[in-house]
Amino acid sequence: MKVLEKSRMRDLLAAIMAAGSRLVAPVEREGSHRFAWVDSAAEVRLPDITCDNTIKEFFFPRAERLLTYKRAANRVDITAPAVSEAPFVVFGCRPCDAAALDIVDRVFNWDSPDKTWNARREAATVVTIACSRADEYCFCTSVGLAPDSRTGSDVILLPLESGDFAVETVTDKGRAFVEKYAASLSDQKDTAAKIASVPQKADATAAAKWLKANFDSGLYADASERCLGCGICTYYCPTCHCFDIQDEADGLSGARLKAWDSCSFALFTKHTSGHNPRADRPSRWRQRIMHKFSYYPDLFGVISCTGCGRCGRMCPVDLGVLETLTAIPGEDT
Amino acid sequence: MTVKEKNTPQAGSIFQPTIGKIVAAKMLTAKEKYFRVVLEGGKPLGQKPGQFVEISVFGAGEAPISICSSPTQEDSFEMCVRNVGSVTNLMHQMEAGATLGMRGPYGNGFDMEAMKGHDVLFVAGGLGLAPARGVIKYVLDKRRDYGDVTILYGARNPSELLFKEDLSEWEARPDCAFHITVDRPDDAWKGNKGVITTLFRHVKVDPSKTYAVIIGPPVMYKYAILEALSMGIPESRILCSLERRMKCGVGKCGHCQIGNVYVCKEGPVFSYAQIKRLREGI
């Protein structure tokens, strides 16, 4: 089997950049591991679970320009940013990060494709590292995934006892990647990978049935009592994809931006008339849960959660979607 | 290699507006202004009655606005805009000659084919007359395709009545019945007084061949739908247009989502049979 030796990982990353590809990989900044554009392989620091942020921002930026405009008396000129999406490699994300890409693909492509998202998806090769460790927030196995799921990855690196990684290609793009960088890989005897054990804490598919039948459950009020409505869970979520469209004006010219938004905010649904279909926090928490586990599967056939655990891990009051999933009667296995 | 910002393929993207020119603008009430817009190159909007557009005022952003004209009017489209937000506030400062951006038309609109051969009962409350007007004008322009037409319109007070010329025309037309009411009449008001449901007693419909088109503020739906049901109109032929805060218009941004439905795509027109199952719908 093909192996990436631990000691040669930086060689591989340097080779990727030397070949002219841009690179996203984990770095350590201000005490936290983050996915970031890296300038040199020496910057890369792999955390033992996933990074704090997700890789979605490299496909669906926090804020991006849709157009720039220039106004004059009774006329306006719009310029669309130029077309260019150079190839890049996402290295070192985890299966829960990669799987999210496949989930979000669906909403960004039903009947009117989002060309920008698609261009970045095409430009990217996703090289995932399967998990050999999990923390108490991880729950991929509760949403039908696993610490070594292949979904969304082009290549998966399976950790070996030695610290090296077995290299497995998942897609044609991944095959091309492995061929291109064969010089940084070696051949070794087959060895079993050391994959983390992530206990199943809930059954998201069974939960979906309960959620549908219990729209008026008091569970949402209980769960959201301590919610601050800060929206952090949505920003750190790999599948949350809601956005706003806003203009940023500078005199007579400016730009239109597409920016992350959050269903946790009261203003998210407020109409100009003043009517707000989700005026209170329990209804917004319900929306977040229902969207992921009921509405999204209804529309797109997959649960919109990968069990990465960031919603709980990053929450200032330790409230993640898992807490609600496990609170569902009969689902706290 | 540092790449902090990248150019992206936005040309031809779903978020690119078309430029339009306002060719007529006038205040209809103290809060609502009427606009007629011609798109760049004079191309027709090609909307279905009941669809909406995302209007851009560059520098302020976009707002979802109903189309209040009928697609039978091809050279331009019309809107009736209440001054309530940053985009609509700037629109209110615009006069003929000004340019704005437009994306759309979006939404499902009314199924005018299915309604053919049926009687139509329109129930419009407040600003709901704007989207309803596009459907009413379509039906009146294709009068022979439809059966009896009844229009009920309610406003808070006489000064808030929209499209007064149209109201007079509908009142005068022998081929449609028109009833109007205001909640709070002034001294000059001679007509019906009370909320829109008080008009239903003037109306007789044949429920076996009637569509009800109900458009108004959320509170109106609850009562108007009950009236339509009590007339015996089946749930599948009671059609409502829901107000939502549509941002993208193409079923992605999440703002208009209720249940497993993106109102901007599968709506804004829903039958009561559908709405009944949509929690948070009204």
Side-chain angles (χ1 to χ4, degrees):
Chain A
M1 65 180 184
K2 285 273 178 233
V3 165
L4 170 63
E5 290 170 33
K6 195 184 173 188
S7 59
R8 297 190 65 195
M9 187 193 296
R10 296 241 164 99
D11 297 346
L12 170 66
L13 299 179
I16 292 169
M17 285 186 283
S21 175
R22 298 172 300 146
L23 179 66
V24 171
V27 297
E28 206 173 344
R29 277 181 199 157
E30 293 160 4
S32 114
H33 280 98
R34 310 189 51 77
F35 293 111
W37 292 110
V38 298
D39 297 325
S40 110
E43 283 180 74
V44 176
R45 300 273 184 285
L46 293 184
D48 52 3
I49 55 166
T50 190
C51 288
D52 286 353
N53 63 337
T54 70
I55 57 170
K56 80 174 170 193
E57 66 189 70
F58 305 100
F59 299 88
F60 168 40
R62 292 172 207 199
E64 74 178 309
R65 283 180 175 197
L66 297 174
L67 56 89
T68 54
Y69 66 85
K70 212 176 204 132
R71 284 191 292 138
N74 288 343
R75 66 170 285 154
V76 60
D77 295 311
I78 331 182
T79 313
V83 180
S84 141
E85 199 57 56
F88 66 105
V89 170
V90 176
F91 183 89
C93 65
R94 301 293 178 164
C96 54
D97 299 318
L101 299 173
D102 178 70
I103 293 168
V104 182
D105 272 346
R106 302 171 192 230
V107 64
F108 283 168
N109 276 292
W110 67 324
D111 89 357
S112 43
D114 184 331
K115 289 182 177 180
T116 321
W117 167 270
N118 289 343
R120 295 195 180 112
R121 288 283 281 130
E122 272 165 42
T125 303
V126 180
V127 181
T128 304
I129 300 179
C131 299
S132 51
R133 217 200 123 227
D135 73 2
E136 68 271 30
Y137 292 102
C138 292
F139 64 101
C140 57
T141 50
S142 303
V143 294
L145 293 168
D148 59 350
S149 290
R150 270 65 165 171
T151 313
S153 301
D154 296 303
V155 175
I156 189 157
L157 304 177
L158 304 162
L160 304 172
E161 203 66 57
S162 59
D164 299 339
F165 299 96
V167 180
E168 193 183 298
T169 58
V170 181
T171 63
D172 288 344
K173 214 193 265 177
R175 194 159 298 118
F177 175 88
V178 170
E179 279 166 20
K180 187 169 178 184
Y181 300 108
S184 305
L185 309 174
S186 54
D187 286 296
Q188 282 184 19
K189 269 207 322 261
D190 279 16
T191 334
K194 192 185 88 183
I195 304 298
S197 139
V198 181
Q200 187 178 345
K201 296 163 185 166
D203 177 348
T205 312
K209 283 198 200 97
W210 186 92
L211 291 171
K212 225 175 247 186
N214 292 277
F215 191 85
D216 295 309
S217 165
L219 198 97
Y220 302 110
D222 294 348
S224 63
E225 215 154 62
R226 62 180 203 278
C227 172
L228 307 175
C230 69
I232 275 290
C233 52
T234 55
Y235 291 146
Y236 276 113
C237 176
T239 62
C240 274
H241 53 270
C242 289
F243 59 86
D244 195 7
I245 297 173
Q246 288 200 1
D247 284 9
E248 217 167 58
D250 179 11
L252 289 175
S253 56
R256 176 155 300 158
L257 304 173
K258 176 180 163 199
W260 291 1
D261 203 349
S262 170
C263 64
S264 310
F265 301 148
L267 289 178
F268 186 74
T269 46
K270 193 174 179 185
H271 304 169
T272 41
S273 67
H275 175 241
N276 192 344
R278 287 193 282 276
D280 58 6
R281 203 161 286 154
S283 67
R284 296 195 285 274
W285 185 250
R286 174 174 59 206
Q287 168 66 15
R288 186 160 156 69
I289 298 292
M290 292 289 277
H291 191 193
K292 295 198 170 302
F293 299 101
S294 173
Y295 307 152
Y296 207 87
D298 279 354
L299 287 168
F300 304 112
V302 287
I303 291 168
S304 185
C305 172
T306 66
C308 71
R310 286 183 180 91
C311 47
R313 201 179 289 126
M314 306 311 287
C315 176
V317 297
D318 202 23
L319 174 68
V321 300
L322 180 63
E323 182 173 317
T324 300
L325 279 190
T326 51
I328 289 172
E331 300 307 329
D332 50 343
T333 46
Chain B
M1 179 170 42
T2 307
V3 186
K4 301 294 181 209
E5 265 189 48
K6 292 170 287 105
N7 288 324
T8 51
Q10 297 292 5
S13 93
I14 46 181
F15 302 111
Q16 287 302 308
T18 305
I19 297 294
K21 197 175 260 309
I22 296 172
V23 293
K26 69 171 181 208
M27 294 301 289
L28 292 180
T29 70
K31 285 184 300 184
E32 280 99 7
K33 191 165 183 173
Y34 158 90
F35 297 95
R36 192 151 65 84
V37 175
V38 173
L39 294 177
E40 215 165 40
K43 63 175 179 185
L45 180 60
Q47 84 275 21
K48 284 166 72 177
Q51 284 191 301
F52 68 97
V53 285
E54 288 284 346
I55 291 296
S56 301
V57 175
F58 295 95
E62 293 184 314
I65 309 281
S66 334
I67 303 156
C68 71
S69 55
S70 160
T72 46
Q73 170 188 322
E74 288 184 358
D75 62 335
S76 57
F77 69 94
E78 297 167 337
M79 298 175 287
C80 168
V81 179
R82 180 174 288 174
N83 183 357
V84 277
S86 51
V87 173
T88 52
N89 183 272
L90 285 172
M91 283 182 83
H92 269 244
Q93 298 170 27
M94 291 178 159
E95 299 299 338
T99 44
L100 36 70
M102 185 285 304
R103 290 192 294 121
Y106 293 131
N108 58 351
F110 287 90
D111 187 346
M112 302 312 296
E113 282 301 307
M115 286 162 71
K116 263 188 186 169
H118 290 80
D119 297 345
V120 189
L121 167 65
F122 290 98
V123 184
L127 193 50
L129 184 65
R133 177 180 181 260
V135 197
I136 293 170
K137 284 193 164 266
Y138 182 89
V139 167
L140 295 179
D141 282 349
K142 304 205 173 243
R143 191 64 193 83
R144 277 187 215 153
D145 290 344
Y146 299 90
D148 291 347
V149 174
T150 308
I151 303 166
L152 310 183
Y153 173 43
R156 258 179 293 202
N157 60 62
S159 71
E160 292 186 16
L161 292 171
L162 301 167
F163 299 110
K164 293 199 178 97
E165 287 158 30
D166 293 317
L167 303 182
S168 313
E169 188 206 317
W170 300 338
E171 175 119 61
R173 271 180 89 125
D175 60 353
C176 78
F178 178 71
H179 302 278
I180 188 167
T181 185
V182 294
D183 299 357
R184 281 171 247 135
D186 55 17
D187 293 341
W189 184 255
K190 303 238 167 14
N192 192 84
K193 178 193 160 187
V195 296
I196 193 152
T197 45
T198 60
L199 291 179
F200 280 81
R201 61 172 172 255
H202 302 297
V203 178
K204 258 194 116 58
V205 299
D206 177 351
S208 70
K209 59 180 180 103
T210 299
Y211 269 92
V213 170
I214 304 176
I215 313 179
V219 62
M220 189 194 94
Y221 284 115
K222 291 180 185 161
Y223 299 101
I225 288 169
L226 282 178
E227 293 286 345
L229 287 171
S230 70
M231 287 174 148
I233 302 174
E235 293 176 355
S236 62
R237 278 197 261 116
I238 298 174
L239 307 179
C240 304
S241 176
L242 298 189
E243 177 196 16
R244 278 306 113 146
R245 193 178 182 196
M246 296 98 164
K247 280 278 184 173
C248 73
V250 287
K252 305 197 189 309
C253 78
H255 286 82
C256 71
Q257 203 183 26
I258 38 173
N260 56 9
V261 163
Y262 283 89
V263 174
C264 71
K265 257 174 70 82
E266 291 163 66
V269 179
F270 295 98
S271 71
Y272 177 61
Q274 293 170 305
I275 289 177
K276 241 182 19 171
R277 290 195 294 269
L278 275 180
R279 299 298 305 268
E280 298 173 343
I282 294 178

